Amino acid sequence: MNARLDHRNPLVFDTHELGRRPGALQRLTREIDAPADLGIAGVIGVPEGAPVKLDLRLESVMEGVLVTGTARALAEGECVRCLEPVEQQLETDFQEMFSYPDADDRGRVKAEPADDAEDDEDTLFIEDGLFDLEPVLRDAVVLALPMQPVCQDDCPGLCSQCGARLADDPDHHHDAVDIRWAALQGLAGSLEDGEKDESGEAPESTRAAEKQEK
C-alpha cells in the first residue's frame, strides 16, 4: 500500500465525494507545478515547477476508482544530433485503477488481507479516500516523450571534424587529405632541404655569424 498520503499535495486527490457507489462520476481540472525529474533524465522532460494541466474523470466501480485523464505541459531538452535546445508540447492520456485495499476483484470486502505481496506491488490503492496520481503521471510522461529528441526530423547534426552545426552552413566541408600523399609530400620537402645543403651554400645562421666577425 501507499505510504500515508498528504491531502495538501497537489497530486493527491480525494474520492470521498464519490463514495463507494458504483457508477458515480466526478470530473476535475487542476493545474499543478511539475514535480522534480518529470521525464527522461538527461534527455528531455518537464522542468520542475513548470505548469502541468490535468483533466481527470473519476469513476467509482466495485473494486475501487477508475481514473482516466489527460496531462498537458511543455517539455524541454536538447537535440541529440546538434545539441540545440528543443521544446515539445506534451499531451498524454492515461488510465489507472486505484483499488480499495479491503475489496477483492469483485468489490466484496475481504475477510483477511491477501497473502500475495507480489500482486500488491503492482496495485495502486486508495488510502483513507485519497489516491496519489504522481506515479501514474510519471509513467505516462515518460512513455509520451521521445528517447532521442531532435530539433527537426532532418537535422544534419554537427561536423565530426570541427563541431560546426551543419544546419547553419549546408556547404560546410573539409578537404580530404590522403595520408599516403601527405607522407610523400613530407619526404619531398626533406629532399629539397638536403639538396640546398649540398649546393655549397652555407646555412643562414653561419652567414650571419660571418658578417658579425667582419
Side-chain angles (χ1 to χ4, degrees):
M1 290 179 60
N2 297 323
R4 182 165 296 279
L5 301 180
D6 183 353
H7 69 278
R8 294 169 297 182
N9 184 328
L11 283 170
V12 170
F13 292 82
D14 193 331
T15 67
H16 284 101
E17 289 187 16
L18 284 176
R20 296 183 68 159
R21 304 182 304 276
L25 292 175
Q26 185 179 10
R27 296 184 184 275
L28 299 173
T29 298
R30 183 178 295 184
E31 185 172 297
I32 66 162
D33 293 338
D37 303 320
L38 183 59
I40 305 171
V43 181
I44 189 171
V46 181
E48 183 176 1
V52 179
K53 185 176 180 180
L54 301 172
D55 293 318
L56 303 178
R57 178 177 182 269
L58 281 54
E59 180 180 1
S60 179
V61 294
M62 291 293 292
E63 61 268 35
V65 175
L66 180 65
V67 178
T68 305
T70 301
R72 298 179 180 85
L74 180 65
E76 298 179 2
E78 68 177 23
C79 176
V80 296
R81 298 178 188 170
C82 69
L83 307 182
E84 287 293 303
V86 171
E87 290 187 345
Q88 177 177 324
Q89 287 292 340
L90 170 72
E91 180 172 330
T92 181
D93 299 324
F94 51 86
Q95 186 174 73
E96 188 66 48
M97 171 66 72
F98 289 85
S99 300
Y100 297 124
D102 61 348
D104 62 16
D105 57 1
R106 295 185 179 182
R108 297 175 300 190
V109 175
K110 293 182 290 190
E112 296 180 0
D115 294 329
D116 195 341
E118 185 174 343
D119 288 345
D120 284 354
E121 289 180 359
D122 298 328
T123 303
L124 296 176
F125 289 99
I126 294 173
E127 178 188 327
D128 298 329
L130 305 174
F131 69 85
D132 185 3
L133 191 65
E134 184 169 339
V136 177
L137 178 62
R138 288 189 178 279
D139 289 346
V141 168
V142 169
L143 291 175
L145 291 172
M147 293 295 295
Q148 295 187 318
V150 291
C151 58
Q152 53 189 22
D153 292 339
D154 58 349
C155 174
L158 302 176
C159 173
S160 59
Q161 296 186 46
C162 68
R165 187 169 181 262
L166 298 178
D168 296 334
D169 183 9
D171 297 326
H172 178 87
H173 71 282
H174 295 270
D175 293 330
V177 178
D178 191 316
I179 58 174
R180 294 169 297 180
W181 286 112
L184 290 175
Q185 290 174 354
L187 178 59
S190 299
L191 292 174
E192 289 177 1
D193 293 339
E195 290 174 357
K196 290 180 180 179
D197 292 340
E198 293 173 359
S199 65
E201 184 177 350
E204 183 178 350
S205 58
T206 303
R207 295 198 302 273
E210 291 175 351
K211 288 180 180 180
Q212 291 178 358
E213 291 177 0
K214 293 178 180 180

